[in-house]
Every structure is written in C-alpha cells, then in structure tokens.
Amino acid sequence: MDVDIGNALAGVATPGVPRSYLDRLDERVADAHDRIRTGMADDEFGYAALNLPERADPDAIRAAVAPLADADTVLTVGIGGSSLGAATLTDALATEGEAHYLDNVDPAQVSSLLDDLDLESTAVNVVSRSGTTAETLANFLVVREAYEERGVDWTERTLVTTGDSGNLRDLADEHDLPVLAVPDGVPGRFSALSTVGLAPAALLGVDIEGVLAGAREERDALSGSLFETPAYAYGALLYALDGRGAHANVMMPYHESLETYAEWYAQLHAESLGKDGLGQTPVRALGATDQHSQLQLYRAGPNDKLVTFVHARDGPDVPIPSADLDGLDYLAGATLGELRDAEFAATEASLADVGLPSVRVEIERVDAPAVGGLLFGMEAATVLAGELYGVETFVQPAVEWGKEVARGLLRGEEALEETESLRVTRE
C-alpha cells in the first residue's frame, strides 16, 4: 500500500496541512508507535488485532471449512464486524461460488434471499463472538427453520464462528458442528484478518495465505515515523485535517470489487474514532459511479471533506469496440481500464483545482496480498489516529447502549422517553 498525501498539504488544499506541522506531529507519531508496539507485544485488547497477520492459522481455517467444501454458495449470518470484513474479502477476491450476507433484520430481504437459494448447496456461516447478538441469532433461527421446512439437514451445512462460551458455542457442541474460535482481544471491526473474515473467503477459493502475507508486509513496515510508514502517514493526516475543518472522509475506491471495502472502512473509522465529540464522518463512494452523483458537492460545495482515492495500478482490461458514432472518436483504440483511469485522474485533478484535500492510496492490483495489506494498513492508520486523538479506539459504548435499549423494548422492560413530534401527513 502506497499513500500520496501531496494533494492534502497546505498551499495545495484548503484545509491543508503544512509540512512543518507534519514534522512536529512526527514526534507524537513516534510516541504513539511505541504505545502501539507495547500493546501488540502484550496482546492488549484491541492492539492484539495487529498481531493477526502472524497469529491467524490458515490451516485450521481450511480444516474447519472442509466439511462444507462442496457448497456452491456461502451464506454468512452476522452483523457489522462479523460480516463486513468477510464481505470485503469475498467481493474483492472470490473467483468461484457465491457469497451472501444476512447482516440486517429486514424481513423482506431475508425472505427473498432464502427463497432464491438452493439450500442443499448452501453453507451457512453464523458469526457472533458472544453468541447472543440479537440480529444474528434472529436471522439464524429463521435460516435454520427454512432448512428444516425444505427437508435439508442444517447441521450438515452449518459452520459456527464464535467465542468460548455462549448460545452458539453450546449449539455447536450439542450438534457437533464445525466451529472456529473468534480470537481473543480483537474487536469485531478489526477481525477481517481472523477466522471471522477468512473462513467465508476460504470456502470460496480465496488465497487466504496470500491475504495474510500481504498484511504481514504492512505490519513489518510499521516504523516510528509517518514519513516512512504509509499507514501512519494516512492516520496522521486524518487527525491533522479533521482539526483543520475536514470533518468528513470520503472513501472512494475506483474498482467495483472494492465497493464493500468502503463499507468496511466506514465502520472501522466511525466506531473507532467517533468519541468525545471527535472523529470524521466516513462517506462511502465508488469511482467512477459517484463522479456523477457526488462530485458536484465535493467540487462546488463546502471544503469540509477529505476524499481518499483507492486505485490499483494494474489489472484485467477490456478493449472498447470501435463504433461509427459522432463525438466518440476519443474512445478509438482505448480500453475500459484506460477510461476508468482517466476518470480517476480527472477527478483527482478536479478536486485539486478547487483546493479540496485528497489522498491517493495505491495498490499494485486487486489481489490477495494487496487487499490483505490494504486492510491491515487501514487498521493501523485507525489505531494511530486514535492514539493522536486520545480516544478509546477499541470500545463502542454508544453501540452497546442502543443494543441494551432494543433488548429491553422486546422484553417489554423499557419504555423510550416520549419526545415532542411534528408529524406531517397527507389529508
């Protein structure tokens, strides 16, 4: 993963970060790096996630998924960090079969998906560290009933990924289901490079060893200077720009296969850094699609955003057929990849022209090592930013509050405080 922050520096962008400030900030980055290294060495909660490239065991993962290796489709039941990392890997890298994710409790969507699936050839991967996540357990119970109604033995098609205790662990023990352990000390949003993210990927033929190898390269590249570590350069820049008024971070990959990566990053960023009145708002975008839906705002609206472009230098391509059509002579002899890259370069230049800060994150190609490195790099960037902000990066109290209230409402034990409403209806 390479990071170019030139278009976010003062003199080019407003807000922008002066190079002299980055020189001073680098001293704090060195201190933060020492804290991160200590946390990793001691396997402290949260920091342990940065050890996953070394600790994850692909052989154990492949052994656990082996009983389901005949599946054509993998249905992962989880929410948030229990699904987005896996979805990022399968959407970017899977070359065989289909992956589906039940990560919401929308009755219409759940019913429609189950109606369309051939359950006899579908493996179910249910993921919850606690084994008590309401949305996950509710969806899994619906899935299990669908299997039973169609006469398919769900116990022969189910993999459980969970903690050492809880409802799912008990279920796995009772029915002798294949089970993978969620690693200790790793918050869900940091678990993409663990059993949580790698098991569905392995079932769909992804080179999980390559993913981990790429992540290890980024891990080994961590140093005490933002000028030597791409991940730290990015994390430090987020912090510095937020303090100067760039309160939104638009994550904009220029590859369809990385669209889910932007969703994964949004959770990682928001849940880790949104505390104590601090943190940028992550925005998901996709190039070149959102040049037509969002670029107008970015170029002509308020300069309160950073746009992060993610671009691969190499990859498959498709020639554009010649056509006798007026006004399309510029496409003659071009390819779809060349058109996409021209759109990317033009968008980047367009934002620089009006002084909106942007960062270019480049990988060589969308393959297993590069995606593994990208995921690890963004995790390390987020941890560093958390150190600079001084927030508790690895907790999410606001999320837990909402979960408790929802459980109380379902039990009839909680009543939400009435607030004044202004309802507008048609006559």
Side-chain angles (χ1 to χ4, degrees), residues 37-75:
R37 279 295 189 190
T38 298
M40 293 169 64
D42 294 341
D43 261 341
E44 293 182 42
F45 180 77
Y47 298 98
L50 300 182
N51 291 325
L52 286 173
E54 294 289 345
R55 304 279 176 81
D57 185 351
D59 291 335
I61 293 170
R62 293 197 183 281
V65 305
L68 305 171
D70 63 334
D72 297 321
T73 302
V74 179
L75 175 62

Side-chain angles (χ1 to χ4, degrees), residues 375-393:
L375 295 181
F376 182 90
M378 289 299 166
E379 290 179 357
T382 302
V383 174
L384 176 82
E387 298 293 332
L388 297 176
Y389 277 117
V391 299
E392 294 291 334
T393 304

Side-chain angles (χ1 to χ4, degrees), residues 273-298:
L273 303 178
K275 285 140 192 172
D276 303 330
L278 301 170
Q280 294 169 310
T281 298
V283 178
R284 304 180 307 226
L286 177 67
T289 301
D290 287 315
Q291 291 172 214
H292 295 267
S293 66
Q294 298 179 23
L295 184 59
Q296 175 65 39
L297 172 67
Y298 302 157

Side-chain angles (χ1 to χ4, degrees), residues 242-293:
D242 189 20
R244 286 165 169 75
H247 300 312
N249 181 10
V250 180
M251 182 59 68
M252 194 171 186
Y254 262 75
H255 302 270
E256 193 87 17
S257 62
L258 293 178
E259 183 175 14
T260 309
Y261 152 79
E263 297 184 32
W264 168 85
Y265 179 80
Q267 182 194 8
L268 178 74
H269 185 114
E271 208 166 58
S272 298
L273 303 178
K275 285 140 192 172
D276 303 330
L278 301 170
Q280 294 169 310
T281 298
V283 178
R284 304 180 307 226
L286 177 67
T289 301
D290 287 315
Q291 291 172 214
H292 295 267
S293 66

Side-chain angles (χ1 to χ4, degrees), residues 10-11 27 49 56 59 117 130 153 214 244 259 347 362 367 378 388 426:
E27 297 178 10
D59 291 335
L117 292 179
S130 66
D153 187 349
R244 286 165 169 75
E259 183 175 14
T347 302
E362 285 195 310
D367 62 9
M378 289 299 166
L388 297 176
R426 291 182 297 175

Side-chain angles (χ1 to χ4, degrees), residues 12-288:
V12 178
T14 304
V17 182
R19 171 61 190 252
S20 59
Y21 177 78
L22 290 178
D23 290 335
R24 297 193 301 275
L25 185 60
D26 203 35
E27 297 178 10
R28 292 183 59 196
V29 170
D31 292 339
H33 174 68
D34 289 343
R35 174 68 187 95
I36 292 168
R37 279 295 189 190
T38 298
M40 293 169 64
D42 294 341
D43 261 341
E44 293 182 42
F45 180 77
Y47 298 98
L50 300 182
N51 291 325
L52 286 173
E54 294 289 345
R55 304 279 176 81
D57 185 351
D59 291 335
I61 293 170
R62 293 197 183 281
V65 305
L68 305 171
D70 63 334
D72 297 321
T73 302
V74 179
L75 175 62
T76 295
V77 184
I79 193 167
S82 294
S83 65
L84 283 173
T88 296
L89 290 171
T90 56
D91 286 356
L93 301 172
T95 58
E96 55 190 59
E98 294 183 1
H100 297 280
Y101 294 86
L102 283 182
D103 56 357
N104 202 346
V105 284
D106 183 320
Q109 188 262 345
V110 173
S111 298
S112 175
L113 177 59
L114 290 175
D115 286 345
D116 289 342
L117 292 179
D118 176 5
L119 298 185
E120 290 186 353
S121 63
T122 299
V124 178
N125 172 42
V126 55
V127 187
S128 169
R129 174 193 297 278
S130 66
T132 61
T133 307
E135 300 91 342
T136 300
L137 269 292
N139 276 336
F140 176 64
L141 291 174
V142 172
V143 170
R144 188 174 72 173
E145 183 175 67
Y147 272 79
E148 291 172 345
E149 288 177 348
R150 295 190 210 173
V152 181
D153 187 349
W154 64 271
T155 67
E156 298 293 326
R157 312 302 299 162
T158 301
L159 166 71
V160 171
T161 306
T162 191
D164 293 332
S165 61
N167 290 328
L168 283 181
R169 175 64 69 165
D170 293 342
L171 187 74
D173 291 343
E174 178 183 353
H175 295 282
D176 195 26
L177 306 178
V179 61
L180 284 167
V182 175
D184 292 333
V186 178
R189 60 190 175 277
F190 285 90
S191 65
L193 298 171
S194 76
T195 52
V196 175
L198 296 174
L203 274 167
L204 293 175
V206 172
D207 175 14
I208 60 174
E209 290 84 358
V211 170
L212 292 171
R216 281 194 297 273
E217 284 191 22
E218 291 298 326
R219 181 182 186 272
D220 293 344
L222 296 180
S223 75
S225 172
L226 69 90
F227 298 110
E228 298 173 359
T229 309
Y232 286 173
Y234 186 65
L237 188 77
L238 298 184
Y239 166 77
L241 278 174
D242 189 20
R244 286 165 169 75
H247 300 312
N249 181 10
V250 180
M251 182 59 68
M252 194 171 186
Y254 262 75
H255 302 270
E256 193 87 17
S257 62
L258 293 178
E259 183 175 14
T260 309
Y261 152 79
E263 297 184 32
W264 168 85
Y265 179 80
Q267 182 194 8
L268 178 74
H269 185 114
E271 208 166 58
S272 298
L273 303 178
K275 285 140 192 172
D276 303 330
L278 301 170
Q280 294 169 310
T281 298
V283 178
R284 304 180 307 226
L286 177 67

